[in-house]
Amino acid sequence: MRAWEVAESFGRDNLRLVDRPDPHPGAGELLLRLRAASLNYRDLLMVEGRYNPKQPLPLVPCSDGVGEVIAVGAGVRGFAAGDRVCPTFAPRWLAGEPDRERLRTVVRPPQHLSDAEAAALPCAAVTAWSALVEQGRLRAGETVLVLGTGGVALFALQIALLHGARVIVTSSSDAKLERVRSMGAWETVNYAREKAWGKRVRELSGDGVDHVVEVGGAGTLPESLRAVRMGGTVHLIGVLAGGEASLLLAPIFMQQVRVQGVLVGPKSSFEALNRALAQHEVRPVVDHTFAFEEVPAAFDHMAAGAHFGKICIAIP
Amino acid sequence: MRAWEVAESFGRDNLRLVDRPDPHPGAGELLLRLRAASLNYRDLLMVEGRYNPKQPLPLVPCSDGVGEVIAVGAGVRGFAAGDRVCPTFAPRWLAGEPDRERLRTVVRPPQHLSDAEAAALPCAAVTAWSALVEQGRLRAGETVLVLGTGGVALFALQIALLHGARVIVTSSSDAKLERVRSMGAWETVNYAREKAWGKRVRELSGDGVDHVVEVGGAGTLPESLRAVRMGGTVHLIGVLAGGEASLLLAPIFMQQVRVQGVLVGPKSSFEALNRALAQHEVRPVVDHTFAFEEVPAAFDHMAAGAHFGKICIAIP
Amino acid sequence: MRAWEVAESFGRDNLRLVDRPDPHPGAGELLLRLRAASLNYRDLLMVEGRYNPKQPLPLVPCSDGVGEVIAVGAGVRGFAAGDRVCPTFAPRWLAGEPDRERLRTVVRPPQHLSDAEAAALPCAAVTAWSALVEQGRLRAGETVLVLGTGGVALFALQIALLHGARVIVTSSSDAKLERVRSMGAWETVNYAREKAWGKRVRELSGDGVDHVVEVGGAGTLPESLRAVRMGGTVHLIGVLAGGEASLLLAPIFMQQVRVQGVLVGPKSSFEALNRALAQHEVRPVVDHTFAFEEVPAAFDHMAAGAHFGKICIAIP
Amino acid sequence: MRAWEVAESFGRDNLRLVDRPDPHPGAGELLLRLRAASLNYRDLLMVEGRYNPKQPLPLVPCSDGVGEVIAVGAGVRGFAAGDRVCPTFAPRWLAGEPDRERLRTVVRPPQHLSDAEAAALPCAAVTAWSALVEQGRLRAGETVLVLGTGGVALFALQIALLHGARVIVTSSSDAKLERVRSMGAWETVNYAREKAWGKRVRELSGDGVDHVVEVGGAGTLPESLRAVRMGGTVHLIGVLAGGEASLLLAPIFMQQVRVQGVLVGPKSSFEALNRALAQHEVRPVVDHTFAFEEVPAAFDHMAAGAHFGKICIAIP
C-alpha cells in the first residue's frame, strides 16, 4: 500500500510517498481501495502544523474520499466487495485503512458522480447540508449569505438553490463572483471593494438574511452579524480568517441571533444529501483533479488560494 | 354594496344577488372593496347545506379573495387607502364587511399576481404551505404524494417543487395527469385504473413517500397509509371522499406514522408563502374566472368536478 | 441454557420449559445471562397467537429484560464481562441469545433499580418517553391524559410528573385510580361510570388536554379526540381495545390534531430516560415478580387484567 | 398622574417625582392604573445613561409591572375594567400610559401572585422561559448552568426545576449559594474562589452541561463555553460583565455549540409560563418591595448589587 505522509516535520515540502504494509479488516470493518480523495482547508493546516502543532508524526493527511470495498470483516452486513462507498468524516483514513468507526459511517455516493466528485462530499457537502437543512430548516423564499467560494461555500450555494432560497455570495474576485452568478447566485458582493459588506448585504436582502454560512471566523463574524436578520442564524463553520474575535455581543442577544457551531454531520445527513443530489443530478464543483503522484502540487494549489471548488486527487 | 347570498333555503339554485347597506370600518378595522374571489370546495358544501345544515341564513358564501383598502378604522397602522390586500381565512367576509378578526389577518399578496390569482391564495395555498413547510419541514430529495388536482393539491405540487422535492400525483383523469406532468410532477398514478394505488406509490418511491397531502379523507386514507414510509407524515386536510373512515389503526403506530390535521395557517405562513411565490414568480393555476354576475355558474362548474385549479370570480 | 417456549401450537397452556444449547457471541455481539424479564401485553398476544397468527413456532416469548454480560464478541468496544445492561426492544432475545441487532442496542440501566425494575424499561418506558418527551416536547404546565394503568400508562404518568405537567388518568377501577392519585395524578375519571369520559376530561382541563397517551385504539380513540385541545397531540401507542376504528376524521383536521404513531424509540431515548430516572430516583411500578418457573402463571396474571404496573420475572 | 422621570441629565440623583396629565386610551388601547413595578438591570443602565447615551430625556424608567384596567379603548375585546394584567415588555410604560403595542401584549398573571410578584415577571421570567423551554426544549434529566442570582437567573433556576432538570449555580457569595441550594440547586460554584469555574462545572456535570443561562457576556462567555457539552446551548441573555468579548471561536464549531441570543419572548411564552407557575404555585423571589416614594432608593439598592431576587416597587 502506498501513502503520502508528513514524516519528520511539518510542511508541504515534507510530504513523502511511502510504502506501508497492506491492512486487513478486523471485525466490523471494511477494507477500501481508494479511488479518489479531496482536500479540505483543514488538511492544509494539518500538513503545515497549524491545525494541531502537537499532532504526532508521521501523519497521513486528508479525510475525504471514495473507494471500492475489497475486503469485508467479520460481522459486517450490507456491504460486499465491489461496492463504491464514501467513508464519513474521520481523520487519517487516506492511509488506506478501512473506517475505524462503526460500519454505519460508510455511505453509498450518488451514482451519477465521478470518483473525484464523490470524493468531494464527506466533509464540505455534509457540513453545508447539516447547517442549512438540518439545523437551519431552510425553506423556499429565504435568503442565504455565503462567504467566499470554497468547498463548503459552493455546496451551500447549490443546496440553498435546491430548496428554493436565494443566495448572496461574497468574494474578493469578480471572476469568481461571475461564476457563482452563472451557478444561480442572486446577488454578489466584492468584499475587497465593499468593506462594509455586512451592511450592503443587509440592504440587498431587505431586513437582513435568514442564514449566514460563516466560514471566516474572527475576520468576518462582525460583518456577518450586521448582515443577518433579527432571529436569523449564523452557521459558524470555520475560522479561515482567524480564530480569535474581538466581538460585540450585544447584537447577538438584542437581535436574537443564533450562532450555531457546525462540524460535519451524521450519516443520516450524508444520505439525505445524497438523495437530493441524485434526484437533481447536482454535481460538486471540482476545480482540478491531480494525479496521485502530484499530491504536493495539490496542496500548493490550495495554498495559492485561486481555486474555485474542490481540489481532488485521482488514485490509480 | 351588492352581494350573492343563499337566503331562504340551501342550494345552488337559491343564490340571489342582493343589495346590502354599505359597511363602515370600526376601530381596528379596514374596509375593502373586493376585486376578486375564489371558490373552495367547502363553499360549495356550505351553499348546498352539507357543510353545516344548521348554518343560519342568509349566508354570503366564500372566504377567499383580494381587495383594495378604501377606508381605515381608528387605531389601524400600516395600511392606507389603495393598498391591495388579502384577508386571511375568515368566514362571511365576501359580504364586503371588513375583516372582523384582528388587523394582522390582512397580508399583501405578491405583486406579480393578477387579482384572480391573488384571490386564490388564502385558504388553499396557505394550507398547502402550512402542511408541507411548517408542519412537514419538507426538504430537497423528499417525495410527496398529492391526491388529485384540486386547489390545495396543485399548490402542494408547486410548493413541493420549489423545495426540491419530487411529487407523485393521483387522478382519475389522464388528461389532468398529463397537465401535472407538464407542471413538473415526477410520476402520476390513475387511481381509476390502479385500485391499489397506495401500493403502487410505495413501489414508485422505494420505501414509501415522506409526505401525503391527503384531501380525500375516509375514501382514501387507507391507501394513503399504504403509500407513506415508516416515520412519514399524512397531512390530513380534507374529507372530499367521505368523513367517516373504517380505519385499521395498527399501521399508524407500527409504522410510526404522523397523521397531522391541517386547517389553513397563521398570517406568518401566508407571508412566508408570498415571499417564496414572489421570488420564483410562481402563479396559482386558475381554471376559469367568472364574472360577478355568473357566481351560480361558478358553483355549477365546481360541482361538475372537471376543473383543474382554482375557480375565481372577478368583481367589478 | 433453559428457555420457555411455545412449541407446537399457540396458547398459554402450551408454554414449555426446555433446554437449548448455550449460544456463543459472534463478531459484534454480546452474550448476556439474563437476570430478569418483564411482560408486555404484546407478549401475551404473541403467546396466544393473536399478534401474528403466522408466527413460526417454536417461539420464545418476551422482549424486555436485563442481564449481565458474560462474553464479548470480536470487535465490541465499551462493554466487559460483568456489565449490567438492558437490550433495547428486539424480539426473541429471552432465549438468552445476545442482541442480534447492532451493539448500540444495549444500554446501562440506572443503578438504583433492582433487576426486576430494570427489566421493566425497554418497551414501555422508552415508548412513553419517546411519545411525550421526544415527539411531544412536553413542558411544565401542560396537561396529559393517560388511558388506563398499564405499563406505558404508568411510565407516562411518572415521566409527565417529572416534567412538571399535570396528569389525568382513566380506569374502570376506583382502587387503581386511588393508587395513581397517590402517585401524583391530578385528576381521575372512572370510564365505566363516565361513558362520555372524553367530554369530562375536556371540561376538567379547560380547553382540552395537550397530550393523550392513547393505548386503547379503536375502542377509545373517538373519546380521546374529544378530550384533546385544538392543536394537541394524540400519541397512538397501542390498540388494546381494538384495531379497527370507525372514525370521524373531521375533528382531526378541524381541530388540527396530531395523531402520532409511536413504537418504542432509539437508544438515545433510552439513555435520556435513564438519566432522568436516575437523577430523580424514580422506580418503575412492579406489580409482582414471578419466579422463572412460574412464567405461565405470570401470563395468566396478565390475562386476568387486575395488575397495576409491570409483571416481572426473576431469572436465577 | 404621577411618575418618576430622569429629566435633565442621566444619573440616579436626577430622578424626580412629577405630575403628568392623565392619559386616555385610544382605539385598541387599555388604560392601566399600575399597582406594582419591578426593576431590571437594564433600567439601572438607562437611568445612568449607560444603556443608550443618546436616549432622549425626560425618561420614565422601568418596563415591568402589573396594573388594573381602568379604561378600555374602542375596538378592544376580552378585557374589562378591574382586570389585573401585566403589559408585556415595552419601554416607557411606567409613566402610566397604556400599552402602545397591540392588545395582544397584555396577559393575566397567575392569581396566586401578589402584585409585587406579578410585576416581577414580564422581562426576567419570560426571558428565562423563552430560553430554556421554547428555544432550549429543556427536558428532565438535563443539567443547566445558571450564572449568578439575578432576576433571570433565579427564574431560570425555578423553571429548570419545574422541568425535572438539575441546576448548577455560580455566585461570588457563599450566602447566596446557600440560598439557591435551599431552593433546589443541585450544585454551586463560588466563582470568586474557583477562577476556572467553567472547568469545574464541566467536571461536576460529567460531559458538560446541556444549557448555560449566560447573563455575563464578555466577562463570562469563555468559561461558559468550557462548561457546555458538545452540542449544548449557551443562551446569551445579557452582558452584565461586559459587552465586548475577545473570544476564541474554534470551541463553538468544534463542539457544535449553539449560542442563542434571547430577548424576552412573545405573549404565548408569557402565557405558558403563567400556566406553569400557577399549576405549581411557584412564586418569584422578591428581594424587597420599596414604596413608590422610595424609587431612588430602589435603584441604589440595585446598584449596590447585594440583592437576591427582584427589586419591586409598590404603587398606591
Side-chain angles (χ1 to χ4, degrees):
Chain A
M1 175 177 94
R2 293 189 304 159
W4 282 93
E5 61 179 39
V6 178
E8 285 156 33
S9 58
F10 290 111
R12 279 178 272 144
D13 292 344
N14 297 320
L15 282 162
R16 298 284 177 267
L17 187 54
V18 297
D19 283 309
R20 291 194 161 202
D22 283 352
H24 299 279
E29 295 182 333
L30 295 172
L31 181 63
L32 306 186
R33 190 173 60 73
L34 291 181
R35 293 179 174 176
S38 78
L39 269 55
N40 290 298
Y41 190 73
R42 189 192 51 251
D43 300 321
L44 177 60
L45 294 177
M46 290 181 81
V47 166
E48 297 183 342
R50 292 190 287 151
Y51 186 79
N52 175 10
K54 298 177 185 169
Q55 167 80 40
L57 298 180
L59 161 75
V60 178
C62 291
S63 62
D64 288 6
V66 69
E68 180 185 338
V69 174
I70 56 172
V72 176
V76 175
R77 296 171 204 173
F79 291 93
D83 286 357
R84 184 172 80 147
V85 300
C86 289
T88 63
F89 175 72
R92 300 184 56 208
W93 71 258
L94 188 59
E97 293 171 16
D99 179 24
R100 287 214 170 278
E101 301 300 306
R102 295 180 181 178
L103 295 184
R104 63 188 168 113
T105 56
V106 182
V107 305
R108 298 174 205 277
Q111 293 186 357
H112 73 288
L113 299 186
S114 72
D115 287 343
E117 289 164 344
L121 299 175
C123 260
V126 175
T127 296
W129 180 275
S130 183
L132 289 175
V133 183
E134 308 285 353
Q135 295 280 2
R137 292 174 191 166
L138 183 67
R139 53 186 58 181
E142 289 192 323
T143 305
V144 177
L145 170 63
V146 169
L147 300 193
T149 60
V152 172
L154 292 183
F155 281 119
L157 169 60
Q158 291 176 309
I159 289 166
L161 292 175
L162 273 185
H163 287 83
R166 63 185 187 185
V167 182
I168 305 172
V169 182
T170 64
S171 174
S172 61
S173 154
D174 286 339
K176 289 181 178 177
L177 291 177
E178 186 56 38
R179 291 188 67 177
V180 296
R181 276 189 178 272
S182 74
M183 290 173 66
W186 171 60
E187 288 281 0
T188 58
V189 176
N190 187 316
Y191 67 78
R193 281 201 301 275
E194 193 93 55
K195 300 299 184 191
W197 50 268
K199 182 158 168 282
R200 173 71 183 137
V201 167
R202 188 173 198 93
E203 290 165 0
L204 284 170
S205 61
D207 294 321
V209 300
D210 300 283
H211 302 270
V212 180
V213 179
E214 165 60 79
V215 295
T220 52
L221 188 51
E223 285 300 307
S224 291
L225 288 171
R226 283 191 189 92
V228 71
R229 71 160 165 84
M230 175 171 284
T233 300
V234 175
H235 303 275
L236 187 65
I237 292 171
V239 291
L240 292 179
E244 184 159 8
S246 185
L247 196 61
L248 285 169
L249 297 175
I252 294 177
F253 79 89
M254 294 296 284
Q255 298 287 313
Q256 305 191 61
V257 170
R258 171 174 294 182
V259 177
Q260 174 70 57
V262 182
L263 183 73
V264 204
K267 179 200 178 200
S268 59
S269 292
F270 200 162
E271 291 174 330
L273 162 75
N274 286 345
R275 188 168 62 160
L277 296 181
Q279 275 184 26
H280 297 274
E281 298 199 349
V282 174
R283 294 176 177 282
V285 177
V286 175
D287 176 81
H288 189 70
T289 302
F290 290 83
F292 185 63
E293 290 70 22
E294 299 171 318
V295 162
F299 278 99
D300 290 344
H301 188 55
M302 172 161 274
H307 58 289
F308 182 89
K310 297 292 290 182
I311 298 169
C312 296
I313 296 163
I315 304 176
Chain B
M1 174 178 93
R2 293 190 305 160
W4 284 93
E5 63 180 38
V6 180
E8 285 156 32
S9 58
F10 289 112
R12 278 177 274 142
D13 293 344
N14 297 320
L15 281 162
R16 299 285 178 267
L17 187 54
V18 298
D19 282 311
R20 291 193 161 204
D22 284 352
H24 299 279
E29 294 182 335
L30 294 173
L31 182 62
L32 307 186
R33 190 172 60 73
L34 291 180
R35 290 178 176 177
S38 79
L39 269 55
N40 290 297
Y41 191 73
R42 189 191 52 250
D43 300 321
L44 177 61
L45 294 176
M46 289 182 82
V47 166
E48 296 182 344
R50 293 189 287 151
Y51 185 80
N52 175 9
K54 296 177 185 169
Q55 167 79 42
L57 298 180
L59 162 75
V60 177
C62 293
S63 62
D64 287 6
V66 68
E68 179 186 338
V69 174
I70 55 173
V72 177
V76 176
R77 296 171 206 175
F79 291 94
D83 286 357
R84 185 172 81 148
V85 298
C86 290
T88 65
F89 175 73
R92 300 183 57 208
W93 71 258
L94 189 59
E97 292 172 17
D99 181 24
R100 286 214 169 278
E101 301 299 306
R102 294 183 182 176
L103 294 184
R104 62 189 170 113
T105 56
V106 182
V107 304
R108 298 173 206 276
Q111 294 186 358
H112 72 288
L113 299 186
S114 72
D115 286 343
E117 289 164 342
L121 299 176
C123 260
V126 175
T127 296
W129 180 275
S130 183
L132 289 176
V133 183
E134 307 283 354
Q135 296 279 0
R137 291 175 191 166
L138 182 67
R139 54 185 59 181
E142 291 193 322
T143 306
V144 178
L145 169 63
V146 168
L147 301 192
T149 59
V152 172
L154 293 183
F155 281 118
L157 169 60
Q158 292 176 307
I159 289 165
L161 293 175
L162 273 186
H163 287 82
R166 62 184 187 187
V167 183
I168 305 172
V169 182
T170 65
S171 174
S172 61
S173 155
D174 285 340
K176 288 182 177 177
L177 291 178
E178 187 54 40
R179 291 188 66 177
V180 295
R181 274 188 180 275
S182 74
M183 289 173 67
W186 172 59
E187 288 281 358
T188 58
V189 177
N190 187 316
Y191 67 79
R193 281 201 303 276
E194 192 93 54
K195 299 300 184 192
W197 52 268
K199 183 158 168 283
R200 173 71 182 135
V201 168
R202 188 174 197 90
E203 289 164 1
L204 284 170
S205 61
D207 295 321
V209 300
D210 300 283
H211 302 270
V212 182
V213 179
E214 166 58 82
V215 296
T220 51
L221 188 52
E223 286 300 308
S224 291
L225 288 172
R226 281 191 191 91
V228 74
R229 72 160 165 86
M230 176 171 284
T233 301
V234 175
H235 303 275
L236 188 65
I237 291 171
V239 292
L240 292 178
E244 185 160 10
S246 185
L247 195 61
L248 284 169
L249 297 176
I252 294 176
F253 80 87
M254 294 295 283
Q255 298 286 315
Q256 305 192 64
V257 171
R258 174 174 291 184
V259 178
Q260 176 68 58
V262 182
L263 184 73
V264 204
K267 179 200 177 200
S268 60
S269 292
F270 201 162
E271 290 174 330
L273 162 75
N274 287 344
R275 188 169 60 160
L277 296 181
Q279 274 184 27
H280 297 275
E281 297 199 350
V282 174
R283 293 176 177 280
V285 178
V286 174
D287 176 82
H288 190 71
T289 302
F290 289 84
F292 186 63
E293 290 70 24
E294 300 171 315
V295 162
F299 278 100
D300 290 345
H301 188 56
M302 173 161 273
H307 58 289
F308 183 90
K310 297 293 290 183
I311 299 169
C312 296
I313 296 162
I315 303 176
Chain C
M1 174 177 96
R2 293 188 305 158
W4 283 93
E5 61 178 42
V6 180
E8 286 158 30
S9 58
F10 289 111
R12 278 177 274 144
D13 293 344
N14 297 320
L15 281 163
R16 298 284 177 266
L17 187 53
V18 298
D19 282 310
R20 292 195 160 200
D22 283 352
H24 299 277
E29 293 181 335
L30 294 174
L31 181 63
L32 305 186
R33 188 173 62 74
L34 290 181
R35 291 179 176 175
S38 78
L39 270 58
N40 289 297
Y41 190 73
R42 188 192 53 250
D43 300 320
L44 177 61
L45 294 176
M46 290 182 81
V47 166
E48 297 182 342
R50 292 190 286 152
Y51 186 80
N52 175 10
K54 297 177 185 168
Q55 166 80 40
L57 298 180
L59 162 74
V60 177
C62 292
S63 62
D64 287 6
V66 69
E68 180 184 337
V69 174
I70 56 172
V72 177
V76 175
R77 296 172 205 173
F79 292 95
D83 285 358
R84 186 173 80 148
V85 299
C86 290
T88 64
F89 176 72
R92 298 184 58 209
W93 70 259
L94 188 59
E97 291 170 20
D99 180 24
R100 286 212 171 279
E101 302 299 306
R102 294 184 182 175
L103 295 184
R104 62 187 171 113
T105 59
V106 183
V107 305
R108 299 174 205 275
Q111 294 186 357
H112 73 289
L113 299 186
S114 71
D115 287 343
E117 289 164 343
L121 299 176
C123 259
V126 175
T127 297
W129 180 275
S130 183
L132 289 176
V133 183
E134 307 285 353
Q135 296 279 1
R137 292 175 191 165
L138 182 67
R139 55 185 58 181
E142 290 193 322
T143 305
V144 177
L145 170 63
V146 168
L147 300 192
T149 59
V152 173
L154 293 183
F155 281 119
L157 169 60
Q158 292 177 309
I159 290 165
L161 293 176
L162 273 186
H163 287 83
R166 63 185 187 186
V167 183
I168 305 173
V169 182
T170 64
S171 174
S172 61
S173 154
D174 286 339
K176 288 181 177 177
L177 292 177
E178 186 56 36
R179 290 188 67 176
V180 295
R181 275 189 178 273
S182 74
M183 290 174 65
W186 172 60
E187 289 279 0
T188 59
V189 177
N190 187 315
Y191 66 80
R193 281 201 302 274
E194 192 94 54
K195 299 300 184 191
W197 52 267
K199 183 158 166 282
R200 172 72 182 136
V201 168
R202 190 175 196 89
E203 289 165 0
L204 283 170
S205 61
D207 295 321
V209 300
D210 300 282
H211 303 270
V212 181
V213 179
E214 166 59 81
V215 296
T220 52
L221 188 50
E223 286 299 308
S224 291
L225 288 171
R226 281 189 190 93
V228 73
R229 73 163 165 82
M230 174 170 284
T233 300
V234 175
H235 304 275
L236 189 65
I237 292 171
V239 293
L240 292 179
E244 184 159 9
S246 185
L247 196 61
L248 285 169
L249 297 175
I252 295 176
F253 80 88
M254 293 294 285
Q255 297 287 313
Q256 306 192 63
V257 171
R258 171 174 293 183
V259 178
Q260 174 68 57
V262 182
L263 185 72
V264 205
K267 180 203 177 198
S268 60
S269 292
F270 201 162
E271 290 174 330
L273 162 74
N274 287 345
R275 187 168 62 160
L277 296 181
Q279 273 184 27
H280 297 275
E281 298 200 348
V282 174
R283 294 177 176 281
V285 178
V286 175
D287 176 82
H288 189 71
T289 302
F290 289 84
F292 186 62
E293 290 70 24
E294 299 171 317
V295 162
F299 278 100
D300 291 345
H301 187 56
M302 173 162 272
H307 57 291
F308 182 90
K310 297 292 290 183
I311 298 170
C312 296
I313 295 163
I315 304 176
Chain D
M1 176 178 93
R2 293 190 304 159
W4 283 93
E5 62 179 38
V6 179
E8 284 157 35
S9 58
F10 290 112
R12 279 178 274 143
D13 293 344
N14 297 320
L15 281 162
R16 298 284 177 268
L17 185 55
V18 299
D19 283 309
R20 289 192 162 204
D22 285 351
H24 300 277
E29 293 181 334
L30 294 173
L31 181 62
L32 306 186
R33 189 172 61 74
L34 290 181
R35 290 180 176 176
S38 78
L39 269 55
N40 289 298
Y41 190 73
R42 189 191 51 250
D43 300 321
L44 176 62
L45 294 176
M46 290 182 81
V47 166
E48 296 182 341
R50 291 189 286 151
Y51 186 80
N52 176 8
K54 298 177 184 168
Q55 167 81 40
L57 299 181
L59 161 75
V60 177
C62 293
S63 62
D64 287 7
V66 67
E68 179 185 336
V69 174
I70 55 173
V72 177
V76 176
R77 296 170 207 175
F79 291 94
D83 286 357
R84 184 172 81 148
V85 298
C86 289
T88 65
F89 176 72
R92 298 186 57 206
W93 70 260
L94 189 60
E97 291 172 18
D99 179 26
R100 286 213 171 277
E101 301 299 305
R102 291 183 183 176
L103 294 184
R104 63 187 169 113
T105 56
V106 182
V107 304
R108 298 174 207 276
Q111 293 186 358
H112 73 289
L113 299 186
S114 71
D115 286 342
E117 289 164 344
L121 300 175
C123 260
V126 174
T127 296
W129 180 275
S130 183
L132 289 176
V133 183
E134 307 286 352
Q135 296 279 1
R137 292 176 191 164
L138 182 68
R139 55 186 58 182
E142 290 192 323
T143 305
V144 177
L145 170 63
V146 168
L147 300 192
T149 59
V152 172
L154 292 183
F155 281 119
L157 169 60
Q158 292 177 309
I159 289 165
L161 293 176
L162 273 186
H163 287 82
R166 63 183 186 185
V167 182
I168 304 172
V169 182
T170 64
S171 174
S172 60
S173 154
D174 286 338
K176 288 181 178 177
L177 291 178
E178 187 56 38
R179 292 187 67 177
V180 295
R181 276 190 178 271
S182 73
M183 290 173 66
W186 172 60
E187 288 280 1
T188 57
V189 177
N190 186 316
Y191 67 79
R193 280 201 301 275
E194 192 95 54
K195 299 300 184 192
W197 51 267
K199 183 158 167 283
R200 172 70 183 139
V201 167
R202 188 174 199 92
E203 289 164 0
L204 283 171
S205 62
D207 294 321
V209 300
D210 301 282
H211 303 270
V212 181
V213 179
E214 166 59 79
V215 295
T220 53
L221 188 51
E223 286 299 308
S224 291
L225 288 170
R226 282 189 191 94
V228 73
R229 71 162 167 84
M230 175 172 283
T233 301
V234 175
H235 304 274
L236 188 64
I237 292 172
V239 291
L240 291 180
E244 185 158 10
S246 184
L247 196 61
L248 284 168
L249 297 175
I252 295 177
F253 80 89
M254 294 295 284
Q255 298 286 314
Q256 306 191 62
V257 171
R258 172 175 293 182
V259 177
Q260 174 69 59
V262 181
L263 185 72
V264 205
K267 179 199 177 200
S268 60
S269 291
F270 202 162
E271 290 174 330
L273 161 75
N274 286 344
R275 188 168 60 159
L277 296 181
Q279 274 184 27
H280 297 274
E281 298 199 349
V282 174
R283 293 176 178 282
V285 177
V286 174
D287 176 81
H288 189 70
T289 302
F290 289 83
F292 186 62
E293 288 71 23
E294 300 171 317
V295 162
F299 278 100
D300 291 344
H301 188 55
M302 172 162 273
H307 58 290
F308 183 90
K310 297 293 289 186
I311 298 169
C312 296
I313 296 164
I315 303 176

